[in-house]
Amino acid sequence: MKKSLRTLLVHSDYTPPVGFGAFPTAIHHASTVLFKNVEAMRARNWQDKTAYTYGLHGTPTSFTLEARLAEIEGGTHCVLAPSGLAAITLVDLALLKTGDDVLLPDNVYNPNRELGNWLQRDFGISARYYDPLVGAGIAALIQPNTRLIWTEAPGSVTMEVPDIPAICAAAHAHGALVATDNTWSAGIAFDAFAHGVDIVMQALTKYQSGGSDVLMGAVITRDAALQQKLEMAHMRLGFGVGMDDAFLVLRGLATMKLRFDAHDAGARTVAAWLKARPEVSRVLHPAFADCPGHAIWERDFTGAGGLFSVIFDERFSEEQTDRLIDHLKLFKIGFSWGGANSLCVPYRIQTMRRDWQESGQLLRFNIGLEDPLDLIADIEQALQQLSCV
Ligand SMILES: *Cc1c(COP(=O)(O)O)cnc(C)c1O
């Protein structure tokens, strides 16, 4: 029976020990895994997921999480990494070698840009940046040595929504692979594989955990040969994850769709209110008609989650918008998102992007699970800081 995503998130194929029926996946800690004799040890293949070899390669807890994440994303294979960024690193190191070229969107998650620049400086791999709205025009940038194209759906600060099917078509015509950082939509609001992507990366730190208390990442594929490369890199890098953390992510999955929908509804309410304010020049929210790439969002996405950015009118200085943030009470100041608490962070885009034309201050909001009307009241009182000089 084919299950809908909402049902998949609640139902696990995990089998508890005989005589102990319960919903949670047990937390299995181990470094050493025991073999019954030498022959069994010699016969053991660490890549065979029907049994266990060593704690670094996984326990029943992490195997269950891998299987569930692959199923949710519509893939067949998954590897876990100690953070979302480690999952990005894993993709690059598994697929790129000296002489190769990687293309990254200019609005990419900034540590991914740092990694690209490092690969270029010290490892003989070229990393080039493209306009996230380039669409089919990406074909003109692809070189014979372009092996990998990163996409972000959408960029998590400036929110341009890329035309991923067009990028995939051009990449595949030239023999390049496409990886998507699908963290913004948690694998709920964007079906990356159905739109042509080869590799999906998730920062489980965000919606999957939902608790602001775990760092973890995942790389998901539908291709056995790609999975083989990812697993070899994963083994060579020693990227293990803690089983207590894996348990927390597993626990978060059952409520993820409901939380995501609540973040989404709250964010649209708060963003619409901000959009009507005279202090605000632009709201960058993919579900809003004036967001760059909105038509693509409407075509390819089914939801939006809790994250959006606001650009203030250019008459307000950084000092003023900093003071606004400092006066927020419910919104806390901090990185990451996907947890129950609302957050607000300023970004100096001019230092991160080549082609950023806006001159107003950009604030990124993560709408948590509080009552959106309380969040609006909080912003309204803090906005008064803009009028006093
Ligand atoms: C948070 C985030 C990451 C990295 O996740 P960490 O677990 O914090 O390393 C990667 N991509 C995006 C879009 C993110 O928001």
Side-chain angles (χ1 to χ4, degrees), residues 33-53:
V33 173
L34 303 176
F35 303 98
K36 68 176 190 298
N37 55 36
V38 174
E39 188 191 1
M41 187 201 86
R42 291 218 166 101
R44 188 73 208 112
N45 167 10
W46 63 271
Q47 286 179 289
D48 173 1
K49 296 276 178 184
T50 61
Y52 307 91
T53 315

Side-chain angles (χ1 to χ4, degrees), residues 83-86 88 109 152 156 181 183-184 201 203-206 215-217 336-337 364:
S83 68
L85 180 55
I88 293 171
Y109 175 67
E152 241 175 71
S156 63
D181 181 336
T183 304
W184 184 82
M201 171 263 150
L204 309 174
T205 308
K206 311 288 166 54
L215 290 157
M216 201 180 293
S336 201
W337 37 278
R364 187 180 77 176

Side-chain angles (χ1 to χ4, degrees), residues 86-99:
I88 293 171
T89 310
L90 177 67
V91 171
D92 281 4
L93 296 185
L95 301 177
L96 300 172
K97 61 180 187 317
T98 302

Side-chain angles (χ1 to χ4, degrees), residues 49 58 260 264 268:
K49 296 276 178 184
F260 188 87
D264 190 344
R268 290 189 209 214

